[in-house]
Amino acid sequence: MKKVPLEVEGLILSGSISNELDYERALMADRSLRLLAKEDAHFKTLRSKLRALIALYEKAVWSDVDQIDEKKLLESDQAERQAELERQFIQNRKQLIRQKLQTFDLTQENLASLLGHQSKTHMSELINGIKPFTLKDLIIIHQLFQIDMAVLIPVFLSKDDQLKVRKAIKNLDKPQLKLTTDDFNFVLKV
């Protein structure tokens, strides 16, 4: 199952980091949680659990220098680029939502109420990419603030997903079908 970018709680619930992309996502989430942990003990706990998973992954995958080859380094570089694009997407979405909140003189708490969420912490987790917005949340935000859905919903695929779709196209013998994006070539709209 693919995780929504930076969905920290899902990663923690799984109990392990199983690939380079999730590892890079965890590293970026750790940086985000560092700031949030200063404001809320909940985030401090999340960060502690996440850091434990990061340490386990590093020990299992990166501690034996003899096992690190060019293929592993390339995989790591690609995962890092993908995770950075996801982080940029979330950051851009967060900034745009906050701008709209300012425009309408609303707080994150007000937005939580509009979306039917009770907790201020939960809203912070959504805004910061710790938990994923539901499609319903994003539709409401789109309709309230007239934000393009392509800015609210990631419209890019990971390298793995692109490869799977290309393989399926080949297996179906449908060469007229093509993905509109190649690797990490897409523009973030803000």
Side-chain angles (χ1 to χ4, degrees):
M1 179 177 100
K2 285 287 179 197
K3 291 168 191 65
V4 174
L6 298 182
E7 186 188 334
V8 177
E9 286 189 340
L11 188 59
I12 291 169
L13 286 174
S14 75
S16 68
I17 296 173
S18 59
N19 60 59
E20 268 313 291
L21 183 54
D22 282 346
Y23 171 67
E24 292 295 337
R25 288 172 174 159
L27 290 174
M28 289 186 184
D30 178 53
R31 284 180 236 142
S32 296
L33 285 171
R34 182 175 52 96
L35 301 173
L36 294 170
K38 293 177 182 177
E39 301 169 15
D40 190 317
H42 171 72
F43 295 122
K44 188 174 184 176
T45 302
L46 278 180
R47 184 172 187 232
S48 176
K49 291 176 181 178
L50 184 63
R51 291 179 69 103
L53 293 179
I54 290 169
L56 286 172
Y57 183 82
E58 288 173 343
K59 184 177 180 184
V61 176
W62 289 102
S63 63
D64 186 356
V65 177
D66 295 331
Q67 296 295 321
I68 301 172
D69 58 8
E70 286 296 317
K71 183 180 177 188
K72 184 70 180 160
L73 292 173
L74 179 62
E75 177 189 3
S76 176
D77 288 346
Q78 290 174 338
E80 185 177 3
R81 283 193 303 274
Q82 177 69 27
E84 175 58 20
L85 290 172
E86 292 172 356
R87 186 200 64 76
Q88 288 174 4
F89 175 86
I90 289 170
Q91 184 64 32
N92 289 339
R93 179 176 67 188
K94 178 170 87 172
Q95 286 177 323
L96 189 54
I97 291 171
R98 284 186 172 166
Q99 287 171 358
K100 292 295 186 172
L101 290 174
Q102 248 181 350
T103 300
F104 290 98
D105 193 30
L106 296 169
T107 65
Q108 277 187 200
E109 230 173 324
N110 297 142
L111 181 57
S113 177
L114 289 165
L115 298 176
H117 300 300
Q118 306 291 313
S119 164
K120 183 178 175 182
T121 300
H122 182 68
M123 194 67 234
S124 182
E125 289 172 329
L126 294 173
I127 292 279
N128 287 291
I130 306 300
K131 287 185 176 177
F133 279 105
T134 65
L135 184 56
K136 180 181 170 186
D137 290 341
L138 294 174
I139 290 169
I140 292 169
I141 291 169
H142 163 74
Q143 290 185 359
L144 285 173
F145 301 137
Q146 292 77 47
I147 299 174
D148 185 0
M149 287 300 281
V151 176
L152 297 173
I153 299 173
V155 292
F156 50 90
L157 296 172
S158 71
K159 185 83 168 162
D160 287 345
D161 287 337
Q162 289 179 45
L163 292 173
K164 287 177 188 174
V165 171
R166 286 192 177 98
K167 183 178 178 183
I169 289 170
K170 186 176 180 181
N171 289 342
L172 292 170
D173 193 28
K174 299 291 183 182
Q176 70 276 19
L177 289 175
K178 297 205 185 300
L179 290 175
T180 58
T181 60
D182 244 349
D183 296 331
F184 305 108
N185 300 326
F186 66 90
V187 177
L188 293 174
K189 300 175 188 175
V190 193

